[in-house]
Amino acid sequence: MATNSYTPQELMVAVASREIRDGDLVFVGMRLPILAYAVARNAHAPSARGLFEVGLMRDQPAAGFLGTMGDPPNVAGALWSTRMSNAMALMAQGHVDLGFIGGAEVDRFGNLNTSYVGDPAKPTVKLPGSGGGADIAILSRRWVTLMNHERRRLVEKVSFVTSPGHGDGTPGWRQRNGLLGGGPAAIITTLCVLRFPEHGGEAHLASVHPGHTVDEVRAETSWDLQLADHVAETPPPSDSELAAIRRFDPDGFWTRPA
Amino acid sequence: MATNSYTPQELMVAVASREIRDGDLVFVGMRLPILAYAVARNAHAPSARGLFEVGLMRDQPAAGFLGTMGDPPNVAGALWSTRMSNAMALMAQGHVDLGFIGGAEVDRFGNLNTSYVGDPAKPTVKLPGSGGGADIAILSRRWVTLMNHERRRLVEKVSFVTSPGHGDGTPGWRQRNGLLGGGPAAIITTLCVLRFPEHGGEAHLASVHPGHTVDEVRAETSWDLQLADHVAETPPPSDSELAAIRRFDPDGFWTRPA
Amino acid sequence: MSMAEAITRFVPDGSTVAIGTSLEPLIPFAAGHEIIRQQRRDLELVGPISDALFDQLIGAGCVRRVTAAWVGNVSEGLGHCYRRACEQDIPRALEVHDHSNFSISLALWAAAWNVPNLPTRTLLGSDILKTNPNLSVGFGLVHVGAVRPDVAVIHVQRADAMGRAHAWGPLGITEEAGLAADKVILTCEELVDVDITLSDPNRILLPETKVVAVVHEPGGAHPSPVQGHFKRDHGFYRDYAEQSRTAEGFAAWLKSWVLDVPDRATYLKRVDVDSLRIRHHEYSAPADYGDE
Amino acid sequence: MSMAEAITRFVPDGSTVAIGTSLEPLIPFAAGHEIIRQQRRDLELVGPISDALFDQLIGAGCVRRVTAAWVGNVSEGLGHCYRRACEQDIPRALEVHDHSNFSISLALWAAAWNVPNLPTRTLLGSDILKTNPNLSVGFGLVHVGAVRPDVAVIHVQRADAMGRAHAWGPLGITEEAGLAADKVILTCEELVDVDITLSDPNRILLPETKVVAVVHEPGGAHPSPVQGHFKRDHGFYRDYAEQSRTAEGFAAWLKSWVLDVPDRATYLKRVDVDSLRIRHHEYSAPADYGDE
């Protein structure tokens, strides 16, 4: 399989999977993160475990395709099928090493909006809301966002902070405001990977995906994007990563263009 | 079976069982109340249900002898086997019609002590503590105490209020202090039945058990006991009540003198 | 009890209704459709995330307020009826009490334990605190106000006629919703004998004293999955998302799948049930409740 | 892992230990006796009611503080060692943090959810508020301070070697104790294959990520009952109550039943296990976890 034959979503899944460290307890969100967990578990993180807010813990990825985290293959063979509040208890205790959150809008400090575009009292777009996003953002040790890279999504100021990132970007903002976890570590987009300094602050461009350029990324970002000292090219999905992605999403439900 | 051939404990169980109304959800305590529930369920309260703080709900009394509410016969055929906090949730919502609490010391307002005789910092007697007693006293709609009638138990002032009754006896004491349920309705002793006015206050002697006298009751009570307008004789256990008691306590574990 | 009777008797106009409390599985769609057919109005819907059912009830004009963490279509994205209601007051204005998944669970636990609120650290720093009047901040914690449903509608794998339900798979916020609610309506795949339910009291979901109706409604959760019975009908969710993009499209969908459908049995005749049915059985190891 | 190793590694001096969390059933007596044999000191014991086990640990001098709702002997009454410790500082002074059953549950839920306290209406009007410094009153509610055990010791019917436990019968405060604790030691009647535990993930008691040791210890709960395995040994509780009335009597009991007993297998040889064993099996109806 040639390495150039992958979709942007397949690349995002591969990049997201590399954020999972062996032994991590991962709070797995819907869509691409489910695949990222499966890929990591089959590669470099064989002792990772996944925690799903619906009320599940797993080691092995589900054998069958998942349209949602509550689909029957995700339950069969689970290590724990329980109440949501029990999964949240583990996260509130700091036991979740990594969470994934999808976002509609994000700002330079990683604050995410999945609730309202415009005035919440009369929004121009009503988005679905937090789900577990705010919980992951506030309680997990570190988290990563996946989103399409568009100017209207990477914005100077989000209309509504559903899931707080590094707040106003000042040092210690999260601790001062009582947020428990370390906040966003990276934003994985269709064009690039943005990373945050370890103790919070502003995102910087860490790597650009193959076939894209720094200028293109900046053009599609509403704020004046900071660059890392050395902006790398994002390593493309390996053959084994692609094979795993296609095993868990055989029809390309999540990873092929509509 | 002759009506005079019963023990004081058998009489107390029979009297306690009559406090259970048909359809009641009863928070069943240990010892005699377990038998009282079984007797009532087999007689005048066929649709009562029992809730046990260990985490059980039942309709039928357990088929086998119970040394504790957690014994296997109480689990087999239960309507719900769950966590204690779920049973407490029902009581906190006002769904428990009647609770039973055993006491070591009680005062004229029904305040119960099961914690310390003397100074709690250096008690002369350390009693086992509340268990669910304080919860029943504060949260159930009405409750009843069973105890041996001795001067050292029916006291002018309890050393420690484990399970609050009608407090200082002033009208509205419970409501003013945020207690949810209606408080103690009766004290069933080895000699008599004391009852409280419907909206709280001081206990009065409602009936004296067969073979005992008002004077004897007063002599064994530390405070100046109020009498009902008409002090009745406590109806003895009926033959069917006795048969039920002996069916559920075949060896007299709870109801025969040691 | 029939679904029609259960909704008629126990879900009056203005009710606060918890429904779809296990997140993606076990969503009581049949009950929701009956609520729509009976033209209930001014409901407050309570749930964690809602996978299309809230969207349908909103589009049908039944809903005054949503108290939830997420409303949309889990595999497809946005809820178009939810958007139209919030953005354009179509078919009517909608009040939204935003939550996160954790905070809606705590709101129900507060009601279950009968306290005015429960504290948490989640939502600190989130604008959700600004839009939901039942959330407040004090002493460095968020205080989540109790949410007490008038009724919780819960779909389960099996129940007996006395109201003892067995459900398995992830349970989301079902237990706290049932305990917090004044009344519970159970809808079930299988109506079973008491011997089955009482053989495993630890699997009994809720106290029967909360249950006011048991409705035998096989397939009542379609298109959501039911462990051991049905897979999720992803295509149905996709079609719904496409057709509900416009108000006219939604109206046509609603007429076709709800208003012109007298009951669930008729509805299921139009679904490819065979392709969704789970045929490979995997039974749990028994627990021994022996007592003597 | 052997019981001796589990206690050596995970219950150091000074630990806060939740044990006996299902009230009367499933009390980990074997673990408690090993704690005594290893002469642990300065423990804080956490539980709802304790049916004789706390009394034994207190009498053996292991305990600095008790955080519980009730300490005694459920069928016999008072705990004589508990009395001697509180009344006469024998064998040492004991600190008591009084609770009710509901409030100790809430204290553990507070720790499980990582909040400083949870509110409740129970204990209003009770002098328990005066003796326990972790309880406070404000805004008309009692605020129950979090209690976080270092370790919870939990006896179950079966577990696999990876730490997935199945327990049934009433569970008291076991779930919140396990979730609140930093570490969980499981002791089990049966050590089973992973296929058994994973066949029923809803019956898995706790996340394996909390479990640090699984000890196969059949009969490890004697004299307390274990649904499907053992009846309660009422006579053993009676004998213990009688013999522990005096400090000398307790010392003799302890020597005979704990200190001179190397392990549980030896202990059980002295018990009439046959008369206690449950022989009439009643199996739960299976749940179908099929997914395709």
Side-chain angles (χ1 to χ4, degrees):
Chain A
M1 190 175 291
T3 48
N4 61 354
S5 64
Y6 55 84
T7 68
Q9 286 70 34
E10 287 175 332
L11 174 60
M12 290 170 80
V13 169
V15 172
S17 79
R18 297 168 197 157
E19 293 293 317
I20 298 172
R21 301 165 186 166
D22 197 22
D24 272 0
L25 181 60
V26 183
F27 206 86
V28 185
M30 265 306 301
R31 301 164 175 259
L32 300 188
I34 286 189
L35 293 174
Y37 176 75
V39 171
R41 194 71 178 50
N42 275 266
H44 60 278
S47 65
R49 292 187 189 84
L51 188 63
F52 299 82
E53 59 201 310
V54 69
L56 293 171
M57 185 183 281
R58 293 193 67 85
D59 49 5
Q60 305 282 348
F65 168 77
L66 298 182
T68 78
M69 65 177 75
D71 282 11
N74 215 32
V75 179
L79 309 176
W80 195 29
S81 180
T82 186
R83 303 186 298 286
M84 175 206 285
S85 55
N86 281 349
M88 293 295 178
L90 292 188
M91 193 155 67
Q93 290 180 34
H95 289 314
V96 168
D97 299 292
L98 175 65
F100 287 103
I101 319 180
E105 280 188 349
V106 67
D107 69 18
R108 69 179 72 200
F109 305 121
N111 302 298
L112 277 184
N113 176 19
T114 56
S115 298
Y116 301 93
V117 178
D119 177 5
K122 187 50 70 180
T124 54
V125 184
K126 178 67 188 89
L127 301 164
S130 162
D135 307 313
I136 296 167
I138 295 160
L139 304 175
S140 71
R141 288 187 172 273
R142 57 194 280 273
W143 51 275
V144 168
T145 302
L146 284 80
M147 64 196 309
N148 286 335
H149 203 130
E150 304 167 36
R151 272 188 83 82
R152 67 186 182 102
R153 293 183 181 277
L154 286 84
V155 297
E156 184 66 43
K157 182 168 164 43
V158 294
S159 304
F160 187 94
V161 178
T162 311
S163 301
H166 296 298
D168 60 12
T170 57
W173 179 88
R174 290 181 62 94
Q175 294 92 317
R176 278 202 310 284
N177 287 277
L179 286 72
L180 286 177
I187 302 172
I188 299 169
T189 77
T190 37
L191 300 180
C192 68
V193 178
L194 308 181
R195 292 201 175 275
F196 293 90
E198 192 162 353
H199 299 293
E202 182 172 341
H204 58 263
L205 179 61
S207 73
V208 177
H209 298 342
H212 299 287
T213 66
V214 171
D215 285 349
E216 185 186 356
V217 169
R218 291 188 126 169
E220 288 294 334
T221 304
S222 296
W223 71 82
D224 183 21
L225 183 62
Q226 303 292 304
L227 305 189
D229 292 344
H230 173 71
V231 177
E233 181 178 85
T234 310
S238 69
D239 288 353
S240 69
E241 285 170 337
L242 277 180
I245 292 168
R246 290 167 187 176
R247 179 147 62 89
F248 292 103
D249 187 26
D251 301 324
F253 192 95
W254 300 118
T255 52
R256 298 293 161 80
Chain B
M1 190 176 287
T3 48
N4 61 355
S5 63
Y6 55 83
T7 68
Q9 286 70 31
E10 286 175 331
L11 174 60
M12 291 170 80
V13 169
V15 172
S17 80
R18 298 168 197 156
E19 293 293 317
I20 298 172
R21 300 165 186 166
D22 197 23
D24 273 0
L25 181 60
V26 182
F27 207 87
V28 186
M30 266 306 300
R31 302 167 175 258
L32 300 188
I34 286 190
L35 293 174
Y37 177 74
V39 171
R41 194 71 178 49
N42 275 266
H44 60 278
S47 66
R49 293 188 188 85
L51 188 64
F52 299 82
E53 60 201 310
V54 69
L56 293 171
M57 186 183 282
R58 292 192 68 84
D59 49 4
Q60 306 283 350
F65 168 77
L66 299 181
T68 78
M69 66 177 75
D71 282 11
N74 214 33
V75 180
L79 308 176
W80 196 29
S81 179
T82 185
R83 304 187 296 287
M84 175 206 286
S85 55
N86 282 348
M88 293 295 179
L90 292 188
M91 192 155 68
Q93 290 180 34
H95 289 314
V96 169
D97 300 291
L98 175 66
F100 288 103
I101 319 179
E105 280 188 350
V106 67
D107 69 17
R108 69 179 73 200
F109 304 121
N111 301 298
L112 277 184
N113 176 20
T114 56
S115 298
Y116 300 93
V117 178
D119 176 6
K122 188 49 73 181
T124 53
V125 184
K126 179 68 188 87
L127 301 164
S130 162
D135 307 313
I136 296 167
I138 295 159
L139 304 175
S140 71
R141 287 186 173 273
R142 57 193 280 273
W143 52 275
V144 167
T145 303
L146 284 79
M147 64 195 309
N148 286 335
H149 203 130
E150 304 167 37
R151 272 190 82 83
R152 67 187 181 101
R153 293 183 181 278
L154 286 84
V155 297
E156 185 65 45
K157 183 170 165 40
V158 295
S159 303
F160 187 94
V161 178
T162 311
S163 300
H166 296 298
D168 61 13
T170 56
W173 180 87
R174 290 180 62 94
Q175 295 91 317
R176 278 201 311 284
N177 286 277
L179 286 73
L180 286 177
I187 303 172
I188 300 168
T189 78
T190 38
L191 301 180
C192 68
V193 178
L194 308 181
R195 291 200 176 277
F196 293 89
E198 192 162 351
H199 299 292
E202 182 172 341
H204 58 263
L205 179 61
S207 73
V208 176
H209 299 343
H212 299 286
T213 65
V214 172
D215 286 350
E216 185 185 355
V217 169
R218 291 187 126 170
E220 288 294 334
T221 304
S222 295
W223 71 84
D224 182 19
L225 184 62
Q226 303 291 306
L227 305 189
D229 291 344
H230 172 71
V231 177
E233 182 178 84
T234 310
S238 69
D239 288 354
S240 68
E241 285 171 337
L242 277 180
I245 292 169
R246 290 166 188 176
R247 180 148 62 90
F248 292 104
D249 188 25
D251 301 324
F253 192 94
W254 301 118
T255 53
R256 298 294 160 81
Chain C
M1 193 180 294
S2 73
M3 185 69 83
E5 183 183 353
I7 301 303
T8 301
R9 288 180 56 187
F10 302 116
V11 189
D13 284 356
S15 297
T16 297
V17 185
I19 186 165
T21 50
S22 293
L23 285 73
E24 295 94 352
L26 296 171
I27 303 175
F29 273 97
H33 290 185
E34 183 60 26
I35 289 171
I36 293 172
R37 278 193 291 271
Q38 293 195 18
Q39 300 184 53
R40 283 295 167 282
R41 289 296 177 265
D42 299 323
L43 302 180
E44 176 176 357
L45 300 182
V46 175
I49 64 113
S50 175
D51 197 0
L53 179 57
F54 281 20
D55 197 67
Q56 294 171 10
L57 287 156
I58 292 165
C62 305
V63 187
R64 171 181 64 87
R65 181 193 288 164
V66 163
T67 295
W70 195 94
V71 175
N73 182 318
V74 172
S75 51
E76 303 297 324
L78 298 175
H80 301 297
C81 293
Y82 188 45
R83 282 196 61 182
R84 278 189 292 274
C86 292
E87 297 165 15
Q88 305 171 59
D89 296 346
I90 295 173
R92 57 165 291 177
L94 186 67
E95 192 182 349
V96 177
H97 283 193
D98 292 297
H99 275 275
S100 72
N101 273 334
F102 193 12
S103 74
I104 188 64
S105 168
L106 293 171
L108 292 164
W109 279 119
W113 289 336
N114 194 15
V115 288
N117 54 62
L118 286 177
T120 180
R121 288 195 171 93
T122 201
L123 298 186
L124 287 169
S126 169
D127 285 346
I128 290 175
L129 295 172
K130 299 178 184 167
T131 57
N132 185 335
N134 284 331
L135 304 169
S136 60
V137 178
F139 304 100
L141 297 167
V142 173
H143 301 275
V144 181
V147 170
R148 180 179 296 285
D150 295 309
V151 60
V153 186
I154 298 172
H155 191 76
V156 301
Q157 279 94 343
R158 63 190 177 209
D160 69 31
M162 301 296 289
R164 299 116 190 189
H166 282 186
W168 55 93
L171 295 174
I173 64 168
T174 301
E175 189 172 319
E176 52 269 47
L179 287 169
D182 284 341
K183 300 179 284 293
V184 171
I185 295 173
L186 294 175
T187 75
C188 59
E189 291 294 328
E190 294 186 87
L191 187 67
V192 297
D193 193 90
V194 164
D195 291 350
I196 300 289
T197 50
L198 299 196
S199 79
D200 197 352
N202 282 77
R203 208 183 295 279
I204 294 175
L205 186 60
L206 290 167
E208 62 184 74
T209 48
K210 288 277 187 182
V211 178
V212 295
V214 179
V215 179
H216 184 209
E217 194 78 312
H222 176 271
S224 72
V226 178
Q227 199 78 26
H229 291 266
F230 293 106
K231 294 181 270 192
R232 187 172 184 270
D233 190 345
H234 308 304
F236 197 93
Y237 281 96
R238 186 190 57 233
D239 293 346
Y240 173 73
E242 284 170 10
Q243 292 176 45
S244 62
R245 247 172 225 288
T246 63
E248 297 69 31
F250 172 74
W253 184 92
L254 197 69
K255 183 171 188 317
S256 169
W257 283 99
V258 181
L259 300 177
D260 285 355
V261 175
D263 54 30
R264 198 61 170 181
T266 310
Y267 169 106
L268 288 175
K269 286 187 190 132
R270 295 179 52 197
V271 173
D272 184 7
V273 172
D274 276 355
S275 73
L276 297 171
R277 199 179 295 281
I278 288 171
R279 297 175 186 287
H280 179 73
H281 304 292
E282 293 275 4
Y283 293 110
S284 61
D288 183 356
Y289 281 93
D291 65 334
E292 59 179 320
Chain D
M1 192 179 295
S2 73
M3 184 69 83
E5 184 183 354
I7 301 302
T8 301
R9 288 180 57 186
F10 302 114
V11 189
D13 284 355
S15 297
T16 297
V17 185
I19 187 165
T21 50
S22 293
L23 285 75
E24 295 94 352
L26 296 172
I27 303 175
F29 273 98
H33 290 184
E34 182 61 26
I35 289 171
I36 292 171
R37 278 192 292 269
Q38 294 195 17
Q39 299 183 53
R40 282 296 166 283
R41 290 295 178 264
D42 298 323
L43 302 181
E44 175 175 358
L45 299 183
V46 176
I49 63 112
S50 175
D51 197 1
L53 179 57
F54 280 22
D55 197 68
Q56 294 171 10
L57 287 156
I58 291 165
C62 304
V63 187
R64 169 181 66 87
R65 181 192 289 164
V66 163
T67 295
W70 195 95
V71 175
N73 182 318
V74 172
S75 50
E76 303 298 323
L78 298 174
H80 301 296
C81 293
Y82 188 44
R83 283 195 61 183
R84 278 190 292 274
C86 291
E87 298 165 16
Q88 305 171 59
D89 295 348
I90 295 173
R92 58 164 291 176
L94 186 66
E95 192 181 349
V96 177
H97 283 193
D98 292 297
H99 275 275
S100 72
N101 272 335
F102 194 12
S103 74
I104 188 65
S105 168
L106 293 171
L108 292 164
W109 280 119
W113 289 337
N114 193 16
V115 286
N117 54 62
L118 286 178
T120 180
R121 289 197 171 90
T122 202
L123 299 185
L124 286 170
S126 169
D127 285 346
I128 291 175
L129 296 172
K130 299 179 184 167
T131 56
N132 185 336
N134 283 331
L135 304 170
S136 60
V137 178
F139 304 99
L141 297 167
V142 172
H143 301 276
V144 182
V147 170
R148 180 178 295 287
D150 296 308
V151 60
V153 186
I154 298 172
H155 191 76
V156 300
Q157 279 94 344
R158 63 190 177 209
D160 68 32
M162 302 297 289
R164 300 120 190 186
H166 281 187
W168 54 94
L171 295 174
I173 63 169
T174 300
E175 190 172 318
E176 52 269 47
L179 287 169
D182 283 341
K183 300 179 285 291
V184 171
I185 295 173
L186 293 175
T187 75
C188 59
E189 290 295 328
E190 294 187 86
L191 187 66
V192 297
D193 193 89
V194 164
D195 292 348
I196 298 290
T197 50
L198 299 197
S199 79
D200 197 352
N202 282 77
R203 208 184 294 279
I204 294 175
L205 186 61
L206 290 167
E208 61 182 78
T209 48
K210 288 277 185 182
V211 178
V212 294
V214 179
V215 179
H216 184 210
E217 194 77 312
H222 176 272
S224 72
V226 178
Q227 199 78 25
H229 291 266
F230 293 106
K231 293 181 270 193
R232 186 172 185 271
D233 190 346
H234 307 303
F236 197 93
Y237 282 95
R238 186 189 58 234
D239 293 346
Y240 173 73
E242 284 170 10
Q243 293 176 45
S244 61
R245 251 174 221 286
T246 64
E248 297 70 31
F250 172 74
W253 184 93
L254 196 70
K255 183 171 190 310
S256 169
W257 283 99
V258 180
L259 301 177
D260 285 355
V261 176
D263 54 30
R264 198 62 172 181
T266 310
Y267 170 106
L268 288 174
K269 286 187 189 132
R270 294 179 52 196
V271 173
D272 184 6
V273 172
D274 277 354
S275 73
L276 297 171
R277 200 178 295 282
I278 288 172
R279 298 175 186 287
H280 178 72
H281 303 291
E282 293 276 5
Y283 294 111
S284 61
D288 183 356
Y289 281 92
D291 65 333
E292 59 179 322

